[in-house]
Amino acid sequence: MLRVGIIGIGISRQEEMSPLSDVDLAVEAVQKAIKYAEVDPKEIDYVVESAFSSTKISSFLEKSGLKPQNHTFLRNIDGAFGAVYAVTKIMSGESKIALAVGYGKSSEINMRTFSNLYTKANYLEKTGLDWINFTALQAKAFMDRLGIGEEELGIIVIKNRRNGFDNEDAHIREKVILDEILSSQYVVEPIRKLMMPPKTDGAAAIIFARGDIVKTRQRRAWVDGFGTNIGPYYPGYEDIAHINSLRYAARKAYKNSGIKNPKREVDFAEIMECFPHIELMSIEALELIAEKRLVKPIHDGSLLKEGKLPVNASGGALCGNPPGATGLIRMIELVKRLVGDKMDIRKSLRRGVANAWTPFHQYNVVWVIAGE
């Protein structure tokens, strides 16, 4: 199989209510990625489009000016999953340069109502289950298991908001203090308003290329490995105090990348957290810190940009959560630091890990991306 690298990245403006259409946001991200990669759009022979879109038939290709030999359209899933299509197409030899784009507008989607539709197939729609009250149940189960309270969740929010303040690509660039977080009203206990991700309109794009093409570029990163996993069909069949589907996806990614000890071989992480407890659960599932040792790093600064294991140096999804693009942005934020575009982590970086998931964490993808 051919080696695959990343030569282009682009993130559109992230806003609460963008005046641009979802497709126009996608075009903006793609144009940035093409400019970054310094490629002729005609060289892109495969496009994977992942959209949370109200448009029945996407006009993305027409508006972007791209004319790939092959095009795949995925609805209502993050671009980090679409990237699997792009990378495997290159690995098989069927593509030389492939583009993965993800986009969506929270301003046009009620995510609680939308996520409730996911439960229809599980015969749970009439229960009112959605991603907020599900994650509240999840948070409570996890907090009880670990023996932590809302203060620990607040510390994660403070960290990510601080990181987002320094990230020009972030939607929310405002710091918060613990008292503000813990005094904000409950959405669904124990999730408070300031523990919620923002409603974001935005898009992201990554250009992948065959290894021989990547080697000709000055700014480049490599796909070391990836893994996916689908968990139990019914959310209630899963142990919600753990994200086991993510753990299995991570193990596949580590095996593909030759990682035997992620605690030592992964330098930093970009996690699609959306809620602070998800960041902690994901760190554990990604096997970056052992369960019995997870509480101490919350308090001792290990997860800060200057810490032993920088997590969400970009601010994470708590600082920007455009549907269809959040996971793809996590991958981009890894690349930015590996190629030196964003030097805000005080340690040598060789390899990072990023992840994305669908509502109720039934479907997970993990990416391992390396520098030179």
Side-chain angles (χ1 to χ4, degrees), residues 1-7 87 90-93 95-98 207-217 220-223 372:
M1 293 182 291
L2 297 172
R3 195 178 187 196
V4 180
I6 296 171
I7 59 173
V87 169
I90 295 173
M91 292 172 68
S92 69
S95 171
K96 293 181 179 179
I97 300 178
I207 298 176
F208 299 94
R210 202 172 60 187
D212 59 323
I213 298 173
V214 177
K215 288 180 180 180
T216 66
R217 311 293 162 146
R220 62 198 185 203
W222 296 96
V223 175
E372 290 298 325

Side-chain angles (χ1 to χ4, degrees), residues 132 135-141 143 149-150 153 182 185-193 195 276-277:
I132 305 298
T135 205
L137 292 170
Q138 185 183 48
K140 186 62 176 173
M143 292 162 69
E150 292 181 24
L153 302 189
L182 299 184
Q185 68 184 75
Y186 283 118
V187 179
V188 181
E189 190 177 357
I191 304 300
R192 294 182 179 272
K193 185 176 181 180
M195 296 177 184
H277 69 282

Side-chain angles (χ1 to χ4, degrees), residues 61-130:
L61 285 183
E62 180 183 350
K63 286 194 172 186
S64 66
L66 296 171
K67 296 181 179 180
Q69 296 174 14
N70 294 287
H71 171 229
T72 299
F73 179 73
L74 306 175
R75 186 177 293 280
N76 300 335
I77 198 164
D78 195 281
F81 292 92
V84 173
Y85 288 67
V87 169
T88 53
K89 199 79 166 180
I90 295 173
M91 292 172 68
S92 69
E94 295 182 44
S95 171
K96 293 181 179 179
I97 300 178
L99 167 74
V101 58
Y103 61 90
K105 298 186 71 172
S106 290
S107 62
E108 295 181 352
I109 301 172
N110 184 318
M111 290 302 293
R112 294 197 70 169
T113 301
F114 177 81
S115 62
N116 176 244
L117 295 177
Y118 270 76
T119 65
K120 186 175 183 178
N122 300 329
Y123 307 104
L124 295 172
E125 183 180 17
K126 292 183 179 180
T127 66
L129 187 69
D130 60 45

Side-chain angles (χ1 to χ4, degrees), residues 125-194:
E125 183 180 17
K126 292 183 179 180
T127 66
L129 187 69
D130 60 45
W131 77 311
I132 305 298
N133 50 40
F134 173 80
T135 205
L137 292 170
Q138 185 183 48
K140 186 62 176 173
F142 172 71
M143 292 162 69
D144 288 347
R145 175 170 68 82
L146 214 62
I148 62 174
E150 292 181 24
E151 180 179 345
E152 281 77 12
L153 302 189
I155 291 171
I156 298 300
V157 176
I158 291 168
K159 170 183 71 70
N160 289 3
R161 284 291 201 94
R162 170 195 167 196
N163 292 346
F165 182 80
D166 297 324
N167 183 3
E168 62 183 14
D169 287 321
H171 172 192
I172 301 298
R173 302 182 66 185
E174 298 176 2
K175 298 179 181 179
V176 291
I177 60 175
L178 189 60
D179 286 346
E180 289 180 288
I181 298 168
L182 299 184
S183 62
S184 64
Q185 68 184 75
Y186 283 118
V187 179
V188 181
E189 190 177 357
I191 304 300
R192 294 182 179 272
K193 185 176 181 180
L194 288 181

Side-chain angles (χ1 to χ4, degrees), residues 196-339:
M196 292 279 293
K199 293 182 178 180
T200 307
D201 294 351
I206 297 181
I207 298 176
F208 299 94
R210 202 172 60 187
D212 59 323
I213 298 173
V214 177
K215 288 180 180 180
T216 66
R217 311 293 162 146
Q218 290 186 340
R219 295 187 295 185
R220 62 198 185 203
W222 296 96
V223 175
D224 251 18
F226 63 89
T228 62
N229 183 267
I230 300 176
Y233 186 71
Y234 296 100
Y237 283 9
E238 182 69 277
D239 171 12
I240 64 171
H242 297 81
I243 311 179
N244 290 320
S245 175
L246 174 57
R247 186 184 301 275
Y248 301 143
R251 287 177 178 175
K252 290 179 182 179
Y254 295 149
K255 182 178 180 180
N256 290 336
S257 60
I259 292 176
K260 296 182 179 179
N261 187 340
K263 297 179 185 66
R264 294 183 178 180
E265 297 177 69
V266 173
D267 298 316
F268 68 126
E270 279 289 331
I271 290 171
M272 183 174 162
E273 84 288 21
C274 292
F275 304 93
H277 69 282
I278 297 297
E279 178 169 314
L280 297 171
M281 294 182 75
S282 299
I283 290 171
E284 180 185 66
L286 291 166
E287 300 181 336
L288 301 178
I289 297 176
E291 175 183 341
K292 295 180 180 179
R293 299 180 179 179
L294 191 55
V295 177
K296 183 180 177 183
I298 302 172
H299 296 277
D300 69 9
S302 295
L303 307 180
L304 299 174
K305 287 192 288 188
E306 55 270 31
K308 295 179 181 179
L309 177 66
V311 176
N312 283 334
S314 65
L318 285 169
C319 293
N321 186 38
T326 306
L328 207 59
I329 290 173
R330 306 279 67 76
M331 297 170 66
I332 290 172
E333 293 292 354
L334 289 183
V335 175
K336 285 166 60 175
R337 287 158 183 83
L338 286 167
V339 303

